[in-house]
Amino acid sequence: MRNFLYLLVLGGCFAFCPTQSKAQQSGLKKKAEIPYLKGESKRIFPANPDNPGPQKGGEKSWFTNDHCFVEDTDGTLHWFGINNPYPPKGKGLYRYHPYLGHLTTKNPEGEWKRLPHAIDESKGTEYIGAPYVVKHEESGRWAMVAETWRDKRRLEVYWSDDLHNWESDGKAILPDKLWISSRDPHIMKGSDGKYWIHIVSTGNKGVKQSQVLRIKTKDFVNFEDPETILGINDNNWATLMESPFLVERNGLWYLFFTYAHRRYAETIVVVSDDPDHFDYEKNTLTTLFGHAAEIFTYKGVQYITSCGPEDKHYLNHQSVSMSPLGWAKQR
């Protein structure tokens, strides 16, 4: 209870208050720092590319969802993400998904410049989703992993030399080993020198549960078999989690993921001292406000974002919001 009151005073997050006694609590949780949103999570740009404003009724005609941030060699920050109009009559919300938006800035709390869509499938498959972009150090090119919908929903790789022009290799990532709901990649360079792709899925190794999987690659052409790093026994047909993101801090690992099918804007944080294994039952650390949260550091400040929602409630802004991310040391 003391930790709960401490977090409540800090503000900016909803604390997860375990029912265990202190003697039973995980030693990891006692050592861990608690992430929290420092102040208000503010909108950083309008979802609608034309930005007609609420007076003209067009502000809520577009929405955002999963997204990512990457800094280029000139120090410019790029945003890539799902950015679509609500579907026209006869099209489905989760099937008509034609655009990946692209914006840039050198001040994430200031003005963002909107660029042409990074990928436009409006005259093609009408579906592109959940991108993540990293610099492939070995080739000097940029790699994007995104969800596509060709013969079925799948993950594939796009390449770019300049972060503006993208081409897909047209090949699905591990098509015979990933469940159809596998999506929402997060990518980082691992301690083994390989690129770790984290996705949500189910059915890995025959287990029907909500899972976060890791797929390793060196070249984004050849991929190792997926390994489950977190599983929740909450279902037997599809993953109920979304948007994993892994952070290493002071020798501990923090796995953020959205529990969107329980609450749309609920981001859970699970702590571990082993990046290959996270225990949801024992080591859930806190709950944050946010959907499809991304974490990035730019000019020495660490930020956390949220996006969406894909509905039209009165005060919702349908776009991307951002707040500095704090880390509270426990007493």
Side-chain angles (χ1 to χ4, degrees):
M1 178 61 74
R2 182 177 64 183
N3 285 345
F4 175 77
L5 293 174
Y6 176 56
L7 284 170
L8 192 60
V9 170
L10 284 171
C13 68
F14 299 102
F16 178 88
C17 187
T19 57
Q20 303 163 286
S21 70
K22 288 184 179 179
Q24 294 172 316
Q25 287 182 29
S26 164
L28 278 173
K29 290 170 69 175
K30 291 181 180 180
K31 293 190 297 181
E33 297 171 87
I34 311 294
Y36 67 97
L37 278 66
K38 296 171 68 174
E40 182 184 359
S41 185
K42 296 181 180 180
R43 188 184 77 166
I44 58 176
F45 56 79
N48 191 324
D50 298 325
N51 191 20
Q55 291 79 13
K56 296 184 179 180
E59 188 176 58
K60 294 176 181 291
S61 60
W62 286 62
F63 64 89
T64 62
N65 208 318
D66 295 71
H67 58 280
C68 67
F69 298 83
V70 63
E71 185 176 348
D72 69 18
T73 54
D74 295 327
T76 298
L77 186 67
H78 294 247
W79 179 92
F80 296 95
I82 294 170
N83 190 189
N84 290 304
Y86 285 96
K89 187 176 181 179
K91 302 285 186 179
L93 178 60
Y94 295 104
R95 181 61 181 88
Y96 184 74
H97 225 254
Y99 304 118
L100 285 188
H102 185 192
L103 291 92
T104 60
T105 189
K106 288 199 173 180
N107 176 12
E109 297 183 58
E111 184 177 354
W112 286 78
K113 178 182 179 182
R114 187 176 286 276
L115 301 174
H117 298 301
I119 296 175
D120 181 346
E121 283 288 350
S122 60
K123 293 180 174 59
T125 65
E126 295 188 341
Y127 191 92
I128 183 71
Y132 202 90
V133 177
V134 294
K135 184 68 173 290
H136 183 241
E137 297 171 0
E138 291 77 5
S139 68
R141 305 182 73 198
W142 302 93
M144 175 195 290
V145 175
E147 185 183 33
T148 63
W149 199 328
R150 301 188 191 277
D151 53 329
K152 61 180 180 179
R153 294 173 73 166
R154 51 194 248 178
L155 292 171
E156 61 186 72
V157 180
Y158 289 76
W159 291 95
S160 177
D161 294 319
D162 58 8
L163 289 173
H164 296 276
N165 301 287
W166 295 89
E167 291 186 1
S168 171
D169 63 9
K171 299 178 181 178
I173 296 175
L174 300 177
D176 299 324
K177 295 182 178 179
L178 293 180
W179 192 267
I180 194 170
S181 64
S182 302
R183 62 188 188 277
D184 301 354
H186 163 252
I187 310 171
M188 63 188 298
K189 192 78 174 282
S191 56
D192 55 5
K194 300 175 182 179
Y195 294 87
W196 296 356
I197 305 172
H198 303 116
I199 59 172
V200 293
S201 190
T202 189
N204 191 41
K205 298 185 177 179
V207 181
K208 301 292 182 64
Q209 58 181 192
S210 291
Q211 297 170 332
V212 176
L213 308 184
R214 175 178 295 139
I215 301 166
K216 293 184 179 183
T217 183
K218 290 183 178 180
D219 54 13
F220 290 91
V221 176
N222 302 288
F223 301 91
E224 297 181 13
D225 288 350
E227 295 293 337
T228 304
I229 64 171
L230 179 141
I232 303 178
N233 296 317
D234 57 6
N235 75 97
N236 60 8
W237 63 278
T239 181
L240 303 182
M241 298 186 291
E242 297 183 2
S243 310
F245 198 102
L246 186 59
V247 174
E248 189 277 332
R249 182 177 172 88
N250 296 327
L252 295 180
W253 297 84
Y254 298 81
L255 180 60
F256 295 68
F257 62 89
T258 297
Y259 218 156
H261 294 272
R262 186 165 75 172
R263 299 182 187 93
Y264 187 85
E266 179 180 51
T267 291
I268 302 291
V269 186
V270 181
V271 65
S272 180
D273 57 4
D274 177 1
D276 297 331
H277 177 72
F278 292 82
D279 192 322
Y280 171 79
E281 297 294 335
K282 294 181 180 178
N283 291 322
T284 294
L285 187 61
T286 192
T287 303
L288 302 174
F289 162 82
H291 179 79
E294 292 291 312
I295 298 164
F296 68 96
T297 299
Y298 186 69
K299 295 185 177 179
V301 180
Q302 191 171 49
Y303 296 96
I304 185 168
T305 62
S306 180
C307 62
E310 295 185 7
D311 60 25
K312 300 184 181 183
H313 292 173
Y314 182 68
L315 290 177
N316 289 339
H317 55 59
Q318 277 41 62
S319 188
V320 177
S321 59
M322 182 184 72
S323 168
L325 179 65
W327 295 84
K329 292 185 178 180
Q330 300 188 71
R331 295 176 179 175

